Every structure is written in C-alpha cells, then in structure tokens.
Amino acid sequence: MGTKSDVTDYNILYAQLQKNLPWGGYVSAGAHYGAGSKVLWTGSDGGENRWGFMGAISGPDININLPGLKKIIAVADVMTGKNVFGAGGGGLYFYFTDTIDLLTGPVFFFDKALQPGGRDFLWTVQVDVDFDLRPAKPAAPPAAEPTKS
C-alpha cells in the first residue's frame, strides 16, 4: 500500500486468468492498469504507459525429497510497459518444507533508465514462510458403520 504521493502510491488494478496444466504447473495471462498519478506511469521517453499485459508460467514440481530440500519449481513472469514496473523474470523455487521456500532468479527491466543506477536487471531473492492465522477446523468424525441384524 503506497502512502507517499507520486512515490509509492502506484495503485495497480489487474485481472488475471490461470489454467492448471495436466502435467503440473500452470499458465496465466491478464492485463494491468496503472491507476495512480501520471508521473508514476511515465516512461523515460516521456510517454504515459498505464496499460499492459501480465503473464506467468510455472513448471511442474521436481520432487527431490532429500533432507532439507523437498522440491524445486521453475517459474517465469512478465509485466509489459515502458515504466518502472515493466519487466520479465524467471527463477527457481526451492521448497525446504511444504510451508517454507526460497525463490531466486533474474529480473530484466524494459526501461532501465527508470531503475536505480540505470540497471537493466537485478537478481532477486524472496523467502516465503506460510502459516495459518486461524486453527484448522477439526475433521468430522467418520460415519458409523451400519449394524447387521
């Protein structure tokens, strides 16, 4: 949530459809609209770039099942637009458990002039830790077997 006007209040609206693949993984596609200030959606060429395509793909699980590493998943995504968000990237998820993973890989920017230091790519590392905010509901007791008379 952005709170500083013309700096962090990008307000991106998007819609995306996803299809799970029969062999595992998924493919998704959609569109985005930059609803924030015009300043935030202007490219280095001076053009306003609010609309764009969003897409992603994920491969099937590569089950490793070693102590400390459960599985690996290859992923890639793209968000078009000659603005600060326009980029494509790819990476690998390393699942240590069902609820703890690390995603790492490169991100390539479409308008490097808008990035810190004019960089055209960066290497990203993301750690995810999933946990339930509410306890799971207890399972229903099994139905009693009918008695024979």
Side-chain angles (χ1 to χ4, degrees), residues 16 19 21 23-29 55-60 73-78 89-91 93:
Q16 202 156 359
K19 173 67 176 155
L21 301 172
W23 54 86
Y26 66 85
V27 63
S28 69
I57 189 165
S58 170
I73 303 174
V75 295
D77 63 3
V78 66
Y93 273 103

Side-chain angles (χ1 to χ4, degrees), residues 1 11 19 25 34 39 44 54 66 82 97 105 122 137 143 146 148-149:
M1 178 175 81
N11 301 323
K19 173 67 176 155
V39 171
S44 62
M54 294 175 66
L66 292 174
K82 193 161 182 175
T97 69
L122 66 78
K137 293 181 181 178
K148 295 182 182 178
S149 314

Side-chain angles (χ1 to χ4, degrees), residues 94-106:
F94 295 92
Y95 277 82
F96 306 112
T97 69
D98 287 332
T99 58
I100 300 173
D101 66 75
L102 179 136
L103 169 63
T104 187

Side-chain angles (χ1 to χ4, degrees), residues 13 18 44 47 49 54 64 84 91 94 103 109 113-114 133 145:
L13 302 173
Q18 178 174 310
S44 62
N49 299 284
M54 294 175 66
I64 306 298
V84 73
F94 295 92
L103 169 63
F109 299 107
L114 297 177
L133 293 176
E145 292 186 30

